Amino acid sequence: AQSVTQLDSQVPVFEEAPVELRCNYSSSVSVYLFWYVQYPNQGLQLLLKYLSGSTLVKGINGFEAEFNKSQTSFHLRKPSVHISDTAEYFCAVSDKTSYDKVIFGPGTSLSVIP
Amino acid sequence: DGGITQSPKYLFRKEGQNVTLSCEQNLNHDAMYWYRQDPGQGLRLIYYSQIVNDFQKGDIAEGYSVSREKKESFPLTVTSAQKNPTAFYLCASTRGPSLSTYEQYFGPGTRLTVT
């Protein structure tokens, strides 16, 4: 069975500082990986996804993530955060080999401090 | 603009009453999903449907029911059998029949409070 771990439930960071949100997954098969963002009382929006190819993936709003197969990680990074980045971030994984479900991590709440 | 609409945004019900949450999409997507979100638990899959007139249970289907009579619509009924129905409910859709290939597009959610 697949699972997703987001090691930090809350991450406070000062405006214009860099940030890394950590995501680790477990799976016995090849996977697709996603990061979603959720602003308060809204649905989720896709930030970026890894399907295949280059392990460094660039997304919207200046975010990027790197797929590390040996460490089963897919950490999200941004070199300089803005107040508007304050939101909940979810890492998700799905199984390439079957019509299985997408598994979401518990989420990381990013708070940008002015 | 294409997208997913969920109505209403806030819903209040008395314990013991069934309630139906609406989800409509005009993206021409084949597959649709319902998730439940509780604080600190991420999203949990309730039901999903890959084609019209067919749907499958997710991880927490007990106390819920769905229908998929039209491609655009996937309503969720929260029945009185659901022990703890108060939550934020999210509807999503994907282009293809496989969850495993495509990103999911989400609606704005419905916050259900049962007292």
Side-chain angles (χ1 to χ4, degrees):
Chain A
Q2 298 165 337
S3 66
V4 179
T5 302
Q6 293 183 246
L7 296 170
D8 305 300
S9 60
Q10 296 183 343
V11 174
V13 62
F14 286 103
E15 192 174 13
E16 298 184 4
V19 69
E20 178 180 83
L21 305 183
R22 297 180 290 172
C23 172
N24 288 87
Y25 69 93
S26 66
S27 176
S28 58
V29 298
S30 296
V31 296
Y32 295 127
L33 294 157
F34 307 84
W35 274 100
Y36 288 86
V37 60
Q38 184 181 33
Y39 300 103
N41 291 312
Q42 294 186 26
L44 278 67
Q45 177 185 3
L46 182 73
L47 271 179
L48 47 79
K49 61 185 175 184
Y50 172 78
L51 303 183
S52 64
S54 172
T55 57
L56 183 63
V57 180
K58 293 191 182 298
I60 62 171
N61 301 341
F63 284 93
E64 64 180 31
E66 186 159 19
F67 170 54
N68 188 318
K69 188 175 182 179
S70 63
Q71 298 187 3
T72 60
S73 68
F74 191 54
H75 299 334
L76 181 70
R77 303 184 183 99
K78 186 170 183 178
S80 175
V81 295
H82 190 267
I83 294 290
S84 60
D85 293 323
T86 295
E88 191 85 13
Y89 292 80
F90 293 93
C91 182
V93 60
S94 66
D95 185 349
K96 281 187 184 183
T97 64
S98 71
Y99 292 95
D100 207 349
K101 302 175 286 290
V102 175
I103 306 299
F104 286 85
T108 296
S109 178
L110 174 65
S111 298
V112 180
I113 305 163
Chain B
D1 285 338
I4 301 177
T5 56
Q6 292 185 244
S7 60
K9 190 165 182 63
Y10 298 95
L11 193 53
F12 298 89
R13 281 294 183 269
K14 295 288 188 184
E15 192 174 332
Q17 293 179 335
N18 291 356
V19 58
T20 297
L21 281 59
S22 169
C23 177
E24 304 278 334
Q25 57 100 355
N26 61 3
L27 300 166
N28 198 32
H29 284 179
D30 291 312
M32 297 184 74
Y33 316 93
W34 274 105
Y35 292 94
R36 171 182 172 136
Q37 186 177 21
D38 296 283
Q41 295 193 40
L43 277 68
R44 292 182 290 169
L45 183 64
I46 305 172
Y47 269 98
Y48 65 103
S49 168
Q50 295 180 339
I51 56 173
V52 174
N53 292 323
D54 187 47
F55 47 82
Q56 288 77 41
K57 293 181 179 180
D59 300 316
I60 56 166
E62 184 175 352
Y64 299 97
S65 66
V66 293
S67 63
R68 187 87 186 277
E69 297 176 0
K70 298 185 300 182
K71 188 176 184 178
E72 312 80 52
S73 179
F74 191 42
L76 173 74
T77 297
V78 184
T79 75
S80 56
Q82 168 49 235
K83 300 296 183 199
N84 187 18
T86 295
F88 190 51
Y89 290 88
L90 287 161
C91 180
S93 68
T94 59
R95 280 190 291 268
S98 167
L99 270 123
S100 300
T101 311
Y102 301 103
E103 68 192 73
Q104 297 198 353
Y105 294 76
F106 284 83
T110 292
R111 188 167 296 281
L112 173 64
T113 302
V114 177
T115 58

